[in-house]
Amino acid sequence: MALPLEFVALELVTLELALVGIALLILISIVANKFSERLGVPALLIFLVVGMLAGSEGPGGIPFDDPAVAQVIGIIALAYILFSGGLDTRWEQLQPILWPGIALSTLGVVLTAILLGAFAVLVLGFSPLMGLLLGAVVSSTDAAAVFSVLRTARARLQGNLRPFLEFESGSNDPMAVLLTTGIIVLILTPGSSVFAFVPMFVQQMAVGGLFGYGMGKAIVYLINRLKLESEGLYPVLSLTMVLLTYGLTAIVGGNGFIAVYIAGLVMGNSIVVHKKSLLRFHDGIAWLMQIVMFLALGLLVFPSELVPAVVPGLLAALFLILIARPVAVLITLLPWKMPMNEKALVSWVGLRGAVPIILATYPLVAGVPNAEMIFNIVFFIVLVSALVHGTSIPSVARWLGLAVPLEETRKLSREFEVDPDTPSELLELVIPPDAPSVGKQVVDLGLPKGALIILMQKREERFVPGGSTVIEAGDTLLLLTTDDLADTVRARLLRREPGDLPTQT
């Protein structure tokens, strides 16, 4: 029977309103993120607050109370975020920190869960298993939050600290998931043995790692060999392979999160056609997934129910930040000779974000008694962590002497692409007043063969310079050169004497 025209019109209006609402939420989140960078507030906090305001108890009034749907959204979003994180990580950065990173993402997670669980039992009055459940849920740092904060200009860190912290956050989720699901089983089925989960963990990590490596190689092979007619299909192919990697790994008993991270790492360190455009595409997808995930989790929260969780949540958050995380880091990293200021910074960068909230939906979906209280405490811990950690990491890094001086944002090279797998390199330099090139014509610079100035900016004017163009202080030059010639080019343009350090943006 045909539907009445009035019913069809009503359905269309409802759909259109839903689309407008979704678009407005994402737009508000993007604009709010712009202000969050200026205020030093992490993006995840902004997205969560926007979701809460849009929820049923906020001005938006959107009814959403389905932990299972939020869990699915969170899992899919986190898979793409982890894949993007792997894509942007260089293998040579990981090699020096691989084993301490693995130790921190396994033993460190267990120690954090045990310490916070003991605190919940002794101070908050939880039963032993419920205390351990709370500790397990918030035991891992969050990849989306860590990537978001560490990849801003405000939080540039020395040496291998950034890849170390990103690797930890990208690889510690499997242990937290295993602990959470294992403790839920122990709660719902009394008499189960905790030792039964040890083989499961080994299987999850081993299968996840092997499948991730194999699927990463498969992604590279398909992208390079399919020769698709349209370049726009390559991002679609990579999107599809991320879901396939996660799904297949989970089906055969591995951890999908570690698999997609390793697959991204393999692809990011391989020769791939259209690599630059794929990197940009997945960076955008990662941001979209962050917004969608945090908005969904924010919608799931009822602010009125957070009131009873304020005191226990604040106490648990302070214990986690000041005691549990630092103790776990110091014990785990004892075998490695890491300077104490670096250990202190690693202890401080314990950002909790979407992963703990997603894991907090597991007890809700499984029907664990008092799961709502666990969820609200976890949400409050995430808010405190976002405020404390997210706003203070740049200051703490500077105080510990581990911050890298901020670089001027690149002006000219953003719109140019160079294949990352070729020896070509874009070099952008700002000419200081005391540089030997000041006052010289381009033809007289003596640049080596293989180095070419392809764009120049004088004040607000951008142009391709000719041989008679005179170099002045403050000019910005964009050069196409090679890796082996980069230092020579810097010396010719910037150094007054051979031993002087170059000035570079």
Side-chain angles (χ1 to χ4, degrees):
M1 185 176 67
L3 294 174
L5 290 177
E6 294 83 357
F7 181 81
V8 174
L10 181 61
E11 286 292 312
L12 288 175
V13 171
T14 304
L15 174 61
E16 291 166 353
L17 287 175
L19 293 176
V20 169
I22 293 171
L24 285 176
L25 282 177
I26 295 176
L27 179 60
I28 291 170
S29 299
I30 294 171
V31 174
N33 180 57
K34 178 67 176 179
F35 290 101
S36 76
E37 292 180 359
R38 295 179 180 177
L39 298 174
V41 179
L44 72 95
L45 184 60
I46 298 295
F47 301 153
L48 282 173
V49 170
V50 171
M52 292 172 64
L53 292 175
S56 55
E57 292 188 351
I62 299 175
F64 182 70
D65 188 17
D66 195 331
V69 173
Q71 187 182 103
V72 171
I73 293 173
I75 289 172
I76 294 173
L78 189 59
Y80 282 114
I81 291 168
L82 287 171
F83 183 79
S84 176
L87 274 180
D88 200 34
T89 302
R90 303 276 69 81
W91 173 244
E92 58 270 15
Q93 294 176 319
L94 282 185
Q95 286 179 307
I97 52 88
L98 182 62
W99 292 112
I102 291 175
L104 197 57
S105 64
T106 52
L107 177 60
V109 170
V110 174
L111 290 175
T112 302
I114 292 174
L115 290 169
L116 186 58
F119 175 83
V121 172
L122 297 174
V123 178
L124 303 181
F126 280 52
S127 67
L129 283 179
M130 290 299 288
L132 277 176
L133 179 60
L134 175 62
V137 167
V138 296
S139 59
S140 67
T141 56
D142 182 68
V146 171
F147 291 172
S148 175
V149 171
L150 294 186
R151 296 187 180 190
T152 63
R154 299 184 302 106
R156 293 176 55 82
L157 305 179
Q158 288 182 7
N160 292 317
L161 280 172
R162 196 194 89 170
F164 178 70
L165 291 165
E166 291 184 352
F167 176 75
E168 180 214 357
S169 66
S171 60
N172 62 12
D173 297 329
M175 178 59 84
V177 172
L178 183 65
L179 288 175
T180 302
T181 54
I183 295 170
I184 290 174
V185 172
L186 292 176
I187 292 174
L188 297 179
T189 57
S192 302
S193 173
V194 68
F195 297 104
F197 298 103
V198 176
M200 184 188 302
F201 169 74
V202 175
Q203 174 186 315
Q204 287 257 319
M205 295 296 288
V207 174
L210 290 173
F211 258 72
Y213 181 80
M215 290 301 292
K217 289 293 186 181
I219 295 172
V220 172
Y221 180 84
L222 286 175
I223 291 177
N224 288 337
R225 296 299 180 90
L226 279 182
K227 293 183 171 56
L228 300 173
E229 296 296 329
S230 173
E231 183 180 343
L233 287 174
Y234 287 97
V236 179
L237 174 62
S238 61
L239 281 178
T240 305
M241 294 302 291
V242 172
L243 293 182
L244 187 63
T245 300
Y246 182 91
L248 286 178
T249 306
I251 288 173
V252 298
N255 187 275
F257 292 133
I258 196 72
V260 294
Y261 180 77
I262 292 178
L265 188 64
V266 171
M267 178 178 166
N269 289 272
S270 302
I271 298 176
V272 181
V273 297
H274 308 299
K275 188 174 185 178
K276 191 79 171 181
S277 61
L278 286 171
L279 289 173
R280 287 186 176 182
F281 173 79
H282 278 282
D283 183 55
I285 289 295
W287 273 108
L288 177 62
M289 292 297 103
Q290 282 191 57
I291 293 173
V292 171
M293 176 173 59
F294 287 122
L295 284 177
L297 295 174
L299 286 170
L300 190 62
V301 174
F302 293 87
S304 61
E305 297 179 1
L306 291 177
V307 176
V310 169
V311 174
L314 181 60
L315 292 175
L318 292 177
F319 181 84
L320 177 64
I321 293 170
L322 300 177
I323 298 177
R325 167 74 176 179
V327 170
V329 168
L330 291 176
I331 293 175
T332 303
L333 297 181
L334 276 176
W336 291 275
K337 295 181 180 179
M338 181 180 290
M340 187 53 68
N341 61 339
E342 293 187 4
K343 289 182 179 179
L345 185 64
V346 172
S347 300
W348 190 250
V349 184
L351 272 161
R352 268 62 188 177
V355 171
I357 301 177
I358 294 170
L359 291 181
T361 64
Y362 281 48
L364 289 171
V365 175
V368 173
N370 298 319
E372 292 81 4
M373 187 62 177
I374 292 282
F375 181 86
N376 291 329
I377 290 177
V378 169
F379 193 87
F380 197 83
I381 290 174
V382 169
L383 291 180
V384 173
S385 177
L387 282 171
V388 174
H389 288 133
T391 58
S392 63
I393 288 174
S395 301
V396 171
R398 288 192 295 270
W399 180 66
L400 293 172
L402 296 171
V404 175
L406 297 181
E407 296 179 352
E408 183 182 343
T409 303
R410 292 185 177 270
K411 302 174 181 178
L412 305 181
S413 60
R414 287 177 292 183
E415 301 304 320
F416 289 82
E417 291 189 6
V418 172
D419 190 336
D421 297 313
T422 67
S424 299
E425 179 180 345
L426 282 176
L427 193 62
E428 184 171 332
L429 306 173
V430 176
I431 306 299
D434 60 344
S437 55
V438 173
K440 291 185 178 180
Q441 294 183 343
V442 170
V443 71
D444 297 325
L445 292 176
L447 293 176
K449 186 178 180 181
L452 178 67
I453 302 176
I454 61 174
L455 195 62
M456 183 173 182
Q457 178 169 328
K458 282 183 179 291
R459 291 170 287 277
E460 300 302 320
E461 183 184 3
R462 296 181 180 182
F463 56 93
V464 178
S468 60
T469 303
V470 177
I471 305 296
E472 298 176 355
D475 288 350
T476 301
L477 307 180
L478 182 63
L479 300 100
L480 182 64
T481 182
T482 56
D483 296 338
D484 56 332
L485 292 177
D487 288 339
T488 303
V489 172
R490 290 190 185 98
R492 294 287 174 85
L493 293 174
L494 302 178
R495 297 181 188 174
R496 181 168 293 280
E497 294 180 1
D500 292 340
L501 293 175
T503 303
Q504 177 188 357
T505 60

